[in-house]
Amino acid sequence: MDMDRIPFLDLRAAYLELKPQIDMVVARVLESGWYIGGTEVEAFEVDYAAYTGAKYCVGLGNGLEALHLALKALDVGSGDEVIVPSNTYIATWLAVTYTGARPVPVEPDEHTYNLNPELLEAAITERTKAVIPVHLYGQPADLEPILDVARRHHLYVLEDAAQAHGACYKGKRIGAHGDAVAWSFYPGKNLGAMGDAGAVTTNNPEIAEKLRMLRNYGSKVKYVNEMVGYNSRLDPLQAAALRVKLGVLEEWNIRRRELAALYLEKLEDTGLVLPFIPDWAESVWHLFVVRTKVRDEFQKHLEARGIGTLIHYPIPPHRQQAYANLGLPEGSLPVSEAIHREVVSLPIGPHLSLEQAERVIEAVQSFTWAPS
Ligand SMILES: *Cc1c(COP(=O)(O)O)cnc(C)c1O
């Protein structure tokens, strides 16, 4: 391996920084003889609820199941419509599809890339049951107007916060603005496990209670099944590791913020469209997403200089074969389609050094921004 290469994200470095603590808690779980649920899961749920400012946290198997089971807990099902952003990772849509409901896309604001609240009302029909704002790339969606419209139309709001651990909307941490908030702890997220993991936070005790049953075969009392449930439990090994990593989340988010500030300052006069963060939003910079019409050349230029980039995401959900049945042709959601054609993510993460970021900046500056 080329040691000078700057990877898009260095997950091994994240483990090595915390190796003594993580190894210790993993050994503790293994030696406990208790491998499903139990004190490790409960302790993480308490800690994560406190961190997000929510009353309840229910640990689940992964982020997709957090979205899916939260929709089930909100009684979303066949015949319902759920409003989703056109610009998101496909998981947001899949969770809706699993319930039998139909995902109805709404275009993003072209500066923040998050759901445009002004377009929300026009997408509501008699069948609409819920809306899922996504805090994409680590930046909170504009929740106030979304919650406003939702309240007026008696819709549930489920937030997809898979990329937004620690992000703040108008000074308040993401965690309980909406009826429920779904989290992913996929290893590459700001708070990442050593495998799959997820959770839902909420202030509503009935939703929390229902999720506790749904994740465990629809059962509260062993062998008594009150509903058709699932098996989607947070693994105690993951819970134990997540508790260690929760202890450094703020510090690691600060490192991301410093890198983002440096990028924003130094890349201002390049040909890139830089991220736009409204003053009411505090992003946790899960991704640093820039935009250019010459994406292929730009990516090749960085790759030739040993810099890893990724695209989040190359194909919008409505243009995936999986959603061909929705009949949304090319051009039907043009704001999202343009974003998908032009975005590219620069390396960012708690283990990217300032020296490495400087190298990324030099590489971007040395690109010839010929008008195309
Ligand atoms: C990662 C992610 C998910 C899914 O999380 P998993 O834990 O991988 O199932 C859902 N929505 C968004 C926006 C994500 O980034």
Side-chain angles (χ1 to χ4, degrees), residues 61-67 87-93 134-137 160-164 182-187 189 195-199 286-287 312-313:
N62 58 60
L64 175 55
E65 287 173 353
L67 287 163
N87 182 46
T88 183
Y89 180 55
I90 196 169
T92 319
W93 290 42
V134 181
H135 308 304
L136 204 64
Y137 311 146
D160 181 342
Q163 304 188 358
W183 303 90
S184 164
F185 306 118
Y186 180 82
K189 311 284 171 153
D196 277 314
H286 174 58
L287 298 170
H312 299 92
Y313 298 89

Side-chain angles (χ1 to χ4, degrees), residues 19 24 56 72 141 162 177 195 233 235 253 301 307 316-317 334 362:
K19 184 170 167 27
M24 190 187 76
Y56 309 96
K72 297 288 288 185
H177 291 84
R233 300 174 293 222
D235 183 328
N253 278 345
H301 175 85
I307 295 163
E362 278 164 30

Side-chain angles (χ1 to χ4, degrees), residues 201-261:
T201 54
T202 179
N203 278 344
N204 184 321
E206 281 153 37
I207 293 172
E209 170 87 357
K210 219 163 157 192
L211 283 164
R212 286 183 206 286
M213 288 200 274
L214 283 167
R215 73 174 171 184
N216 191 36
Y217 297 104
S219 166
K220 221 172 354 188
V221 175
K222 205 170 169 84
Y223 305 130
V224 180
N225 303 84
E226 298 176 40
M227 56 173 78
V228 177
Y230 300 80
N231 177 353
S232 180
R233 300 174 293 222
L234 173 61
D235 183 328
L237 279 168
Q238 301 303 338
L242 282 167
R243 251 183 115 205
V244 171
K245 294 186 97 177
L246 181 58
V248 296
L249 176 59
E250 278 301 286
E251 186 196 324
W252 287 13
N253 278 345
I254 288 170
R255 293 188 206 165
R256 288 174 181 270
R257 211 166 286 151
E258 283 169 2
L259 293 162

